[in-house]
Amino acid sequence: MAEIITLGETMVSFTPQEHTGLAYGPALNMRIAGAESNTAIGLCRMGHSVAFISRVGTDSLGQFVLRSIRAEGVDTTLIGQDAEHPTGIMFKEPKLHAETTVYYYRTNSAASHMSCEDIPEQEIEKAEILHFTGITPILSPSCRRMVFHAMEIAAAHGCAVSFDPNIRLKLWKDQDYTPLMLECISRASYLLAGLDECKILYHTDDIEHIAKQAFVSDRLQCLALKDGSRGAWICDRQGICQIPPAECACVDPVGAGDAFNAGFLSGILEGKSFVDSGVLGAFCGARATETYGDTEGLLTKAELEYALQHINPVCR
């Protein structure tokens, strides 16, 4: 039985082995990338039981995704294999003095064909938290219906819902998905959002104003606002607390938000306060920026405890 279930798409990510633009044909590293599976892996590394709902193709890339996620301890039995559609892929182009550019090739992917039939009610019924991001419901109409079906099941069985808008304007294209994001927020127990995303959704970066609008929903228990190198803000109905940033040597910020989510949700599962959970999230998010992969920088429970206590383990 999984404590937490995550729901979304995992792609195969190709990244240059050196700081050379893709136009010049550099050798590439192959990894996995997906917001919800990143969070699932982060939670597993901290000792929690996690199951992942998704679909991959029956191609070799799908097998790579399954093997990679399974190797981290995530329950992959809820991942379907689609013989008619391919596993999604993406290319990352890190830049030394600018944000990483990402190119997605996920149209008509196996995961974009997920539907309500992929949601196992009995598994969500036994879980404590269902986690997903705003990426999944915009992949296709069937994914949108699936996400709301999953949230209805969670609500019926007392399973909390964790939602990260994870806005990707490249995926939005010329569509405005703000109403869809706000509808998901209205059904969430925990809203884990970037401050820049809330500026898009609420047309302000004022923390108090954002919190006031988010807590219109009676279901929302906590709002965690992620603000990158400036730390985070933890908001509940009693007040707002700023979480200072954790020290790190950032090389690639992609995946930091997912790592924050893993740390925060780990704290919630362990019965910690919202603020203490936010501190865990801040440390996990900071450390995730120190590698180029989406999951390589995710901390184990022991590593997180060392970081929190400022302990340097003996390495040699």
Side-chain angles (χ1 to χ4, degrees):
M1 181 181 73
E3 295 173 89
I4 185 165
I5 293 176
T6 65
L7 166 64
E9 177 176 28
T10 300
M11 297 167 289
V12 176
S13 171
F14 296 92
T15 309
Q17 294 179 5
E18 54 187 281
H19 281 288
T20 302
L22 292 172
Y24 297 96
L28 302 172
N29 287 320
M30 187 168 80
R31 300 182 173 98
I32 60 169
E36 295 87 354
S37 56
N38 291 345
T39 296
I41 291 170
L43 282 159
C44 275
R45 289 192 185 175
M46 285 183 281
H48 298 285
S49 56
V50 189
F52 181 47
I53 299 173
S54 188
R55 276 197 207 181
V56 295
T58 53
D59 46 33
S60 295
L61 296 182
Q63 291 303 306
F64 175 72
V65 169
L66 286 172
R67 289 163 61 90
S68 299
I69 296 175
R70 188 186 303 121
E72 295 286 354
V74 178
D75 182 351
T76 59
T77 58
L78 304 181
I79 300 178
Q81 297 187 57
D82 189 330
E84 298 182 4
H85 303 99
T87 303
I89 64 174
M90 60 181 279
F91 292 83
K92 291 170 63 176
E93 193 170 30
K95 300 173 182 177
L96 287 174
H97 303 292
E99 188 173 353
T100 298
T101 300
V102 179
Y103 304 94
Y104 299 103
Y105 298 88
R106 67 200 312 175
T107 301
N108 208 35
S109 68
S112 71
H113 287 272
M114 287 190 290
S115 68
C116 295
E117 296 178 357
D118 290 286
I119 303 300
E121 181 170 357
Q122 68 278 9
E123 297 298 328
I124 294 178
E125 178 182 355
K126 294 180 288 187
E128 294 183 43
I129 300 173
L130 170 71
H131 174 75
F132 72 102
T133 77
I135 293 173
T136 305
I138 67 173
L139 293 179
S140 67
S142 67
C143 282
R144 194 169 308 134
R145 291 190 293 270
M146 174 193 65
V147 162
F148 282 93
H149 178 60
M151 286 193 287
E152 289 171 0
I153 293 173
H157 295 290
C159 174
V161 172
S162 168
F163 177 63
D164 179 350
N166 216 336
I167 293 174
R168 296 291 180 265
L169 294 179
K170 277 195 172 183
L171 297 180
W172 282 30
K173 298 179 180 176
D174 58 348
Q175 297 287 322
D176 182 8
Y177 288 102
T178 298
L180 175 61
M181 298 298 105
L182 294 176
E183 178 63 23
C184 291
I185 289 171
S186 73
R187 297 167 183 248
S189 311
Y190 308 111
L191 173 57
L192 315 177
L195 182 58
D196 55 340
E197 295 170 332
C198 284
K199 188 173 182 179
I200 293 173
L201 298 176
Y202 297 113
H203 309 292
T204 181
D205 56 5
D206 182 82
I207 308 298
E208 291 186 6
H209 188 63
I210 292 170
K212 183 177 180 180
Q213 293 193 68
F215 281 105
V216 167
S217 169
D218 293 334
R219 298 186 185 184
L220 190 64
Q221 298 178 34
C222 180
L223 163 62
L225 285 173
K226 297 172 280 187
D227 196 17
S229 61
R230 291 172 292 278
W233 300 82
I234 301 298
C235 314
D236 61 16
R237 297 185 187 278
Q238 280 67 54
I240 299 172
C241 180
Q242 185 175 17
I243 305 295
E247 292 184 3
C248 66
C250 177
V251 297
D252 183 8
V254 175
D258 306 328
F260 178 100
N261 296 347
F264 179 86
L265 293 174
S266 175
I268 296 299
L269 290 170
E270 294 169 8
K272 298 184 186 298
S273 69
F274 294 145
V275 171
D276 287 344
S277 297
V279 170
L280 298 184
F283 269 91
C284 290
R287 292 297 185 271
T289 69
E290 296 183 331
T291 64
Y292 286 107
D294 280 27
T295 62
E296 285 81 349
L298 294 171
L299 296 176
T300 65
K301 191 173 185 65
E303 289 170 338
L304 178 58
E305 289 177 352
Y306 284 144
L308 290 170
Q309 298 174 34
H310 304 288
I311 295 174
N312 292 319
V314 176
C315 297
R316 59 181 178 176

